[in-house]
Amino acid sequence: MSIQLPSLKADNTLGLDVSTQKRIVAETSEDILKAWQLSQIERASFLILGEGSNVLFMENFNGTVVINRLKGVEIYEGTECWKIHVGAGENWHQLVKSTLEKGIPGLENLALIPGTVGSAPIQNIGAYGVEFKDACEYVDVLNLRSGDTERLHRDECQFAYRDSIFKHHYQSGYAIVAVGLKLDKHWKPVLTYGELKTLNPATINAWEVFNAVCKMRQSKLPDPAVIGNVGSFFKNPVISHEKATGLLSRFPDMPHYPQASGEVKVAAGWLIDQCQLKGFKVGGAAVHQQQALVLINVDNATPQDVVALAKTVRLQVGEKYEVWLEPEVRFIQARGECNAVEVIS
């Protein structure tokens, strides 16, 4: 007799056909805590997912997967700012849109980033010159061992480019249950990237920024409901000023963005595109034709197809530019998360 294990195909936006031993939808912190305690008794691996928009399952998961659906949005108006307390299971884009509908700007540059609110601090999500940390006041974390909820203020979260303390000290044994946002009433548009540079800061409003960001993202990024993908697969590499200067002497058209640290961020999508990899396929996985930074599931791709494709992309870019791309995506093995760079090196 064969036992049908719970499928995770609908829980990862790459649409990979993987399963788990146990799948639990959590609507309260208590749901998460009980699931974790049971997994400890059973000595089973444990994983919390939002909408699965930033994970690559390399195989079936051998344990319990909890789908975080903690909801609720509370808004507090002060004289200088708005404060918003949001459940980790809320959809990020819907939060961005609903705050604008309530006359609260500040998140518009982060429109259409897939995933839940609870995933935002883990990655320190960012787009078009704005990062999650810019709006974050605190993150509430459930300590699964003690059952207590801890509040980490922004300065304690160790936010960096696509990085945070939630990828390190708070990666295991903790669950993000809510975030607190602080949005200044004295709104200033951030128009430093892409087509936003063409907009007039003196007359622009937050809705126009929101619509421009949505238009740009939709023109470049495929809808995961139509074509399986996790958005940007690789981080934009940050390299030394000296290295950037050397590359620009050879490739003067290379998009580059000087950082406050003195380092320079370069566009991973451009590097991949210059290697003529748009449309390149390995099995059922391919590099997207419109945006080379996106790897897509075009024909029932297996996890092995996606990993092999990522390896090829990294190798070709590395050999041409001596810049070694790192995945933005979390790689999940049977027993839990692993080092994505090591997997594709």
Side-chain angles (χ1 to χ4, degrees):
M1 183 181 77
S2 63
I3 299 174
Q4 190 72 28
L5 295 174
S7 173
L8 295 174
K9 189 171 184 178
D11 296 316
N12 74 100
T13 60
L14 262 171
L16 298 176
D17 191 8
V18 291
S19 63
T20 183
Q21 298 289 319
K22 191 177 293 184
R23 178 186 180 275
I24 295 170
V25 178
E27 296 181 353
T28 66
S29 295
E30 291 73 23
D31 291 342
I32 299 176
L33 190 58
K34 287 177 183 176
W36 184 82
Q37 289 169 342
L38 185 57
S39 75
Q40 295 302 292
I41 293 169
E42 296 174 343
R43 295 187 178 179
S45 298
F46 184 82
L47 179 70
I48 298 177
L49 277 186
E51 294 178 0
S53 58
N54 198 50
V55 294
L56 166 60
F57 281 99
M58 299 174 62
E59 55 196 329
N60 293 334
F61 190 73
N62 186 22
T64 299
V65 171
V66 171
I67 310 298
N68 188 331
R69 291 294 176 264
L70 276 63
K71 298 298 181 74
V73 179
E74 300 168 30
I75 299 173
Y76 308 92
E77 182 177 1
T79 54
E80 297 294 323
C81 65
W82 300 89
K83 293 192 176 186
I84 310 171
H85 181 86
V86 194
E90 292 283 351
N91 176 270
W92 176 264
H93 175 69
Q94 289 306 315
L95 174 70
V96 174
K97 189 176 179 183
S98 67
T99 52
L100 283 177
E101 289 170 345
K102 291 178 173 65
I104 306 172
L107 300 177
E108 55 282 341
N109 292 55
L110 303 177
L112 272 187
I113 294 180
T116 58
V117 168
S119 302
I122 298 173
Q123 283 289 106
N124 185 26
I125 59 171
Y128 301 106
V130 175
E131 291 182 319
F132 172 80
K133 69 176 176 63
D134 300 326
C136 177
E137 184 176 27
Y138 60 80
V139 178
D140 284 349
V141 179
L142 174 64
N143 184 325
L144 297 172
R145 295 177 183 87
S146 69
D148 297 328
T149 299
E150 305 173 21
R151 175 161 292 182
L152 274 70
H153 290 274
R154 179 173 66 176
D155 293 344
E156 298 174 285
C157 294
Q158 298 177 15
F159 289 126
Y161 175 59
R162 300 300 174 270
D163 199 18
S164 70
I165 198 170
F166 308 107
K167 283 189 171 184
H168 306 284
H169 178 72
Y170 283 87
Q171 181 182 33
S172 179
Y174 297 88
I176 293 173
V177 293
V179 305
L181 304 175
K182 183 178 179 181
L183 299 173
D184 198 322
K185 284 189 169 181
H186 304 286
W187 178 76
K188 293 180 182 178
V190 179
L191 308 173
T192 53
Y193 274 75
E195 294 168 28
L196 297 182
K197 288 181 178 180
T198 65
L199 303 176
N200 184 348
T203 59
I204 195 75
N205 64 50
W207 271 114
E208 290 171 321
V209 175
F210 173 88
N211 290 328
V213 167
C214 289
K215 184 179 178 182
M216 284 188 287
R217 290 187 73 91
Q218 288 168 333
S219 70
K220 296 177 181 178
L221 303 173
D223 183 350
V226 180
I227 302 174
N229 74 91
V230 286
S232 300
F233 194 93
F234 297 98
K235 299 176 186 178
N236 287 318
V238 179
I239 60 178
S240 69
H241 176 77
E242 292 74 21
K243 186 158 200 168
T245 301
L247 284 172
L248 285 166
S249 69
R250 294 163 53 206
F251 309 102
D253 295 335
M254 181 182 74
H256 59 288
Y257 308 93
Q259 305 295 293
S261 63
E263 297 174 302
V264 179
K265 184 187 293 184
V266 296
W270 185 88
L271 299 176
I272 298 167
D273 189 12
Q274 296 305 302
C275 292
Q276 311 297 314
L277 286 170
K278 279 184 178 176
F280 180 79
K281 289 179 67 176
V282 174
V287 178
H288 190 46
Q289 286 281 9
Q290 275 71 49
Q291 171 53 275
L293 197 52
V294 178
L295 306 188
I296 56 176
N297 180 353
V298 287
D299 186 18
N300 297 312
T302 66
Q304 292 72 33
D305 292 341
V306 181
V307 169
L309 179 62
K311 278 186 175 182
T312 301
V313 170
R314 185 175 193 267
L315 183 62
Q316 293 209 21
V317 169
E319 287 180 342
K320 182 169 183 175
Y321 295 100
E322 293 186 355
V323 173
W324 297 93
L325 299 180
E326 297 185 4
E328 187 172 310
V329 184
R330 299 169 62 199
F331 282 34
I332 311 294
Q333 291 180 324
R335 304 291 297 182
E337 187 167 355
C338 61
N339 187 310
V341 174
E342 289 179 2
V343 172
I344 65 170
S345 295

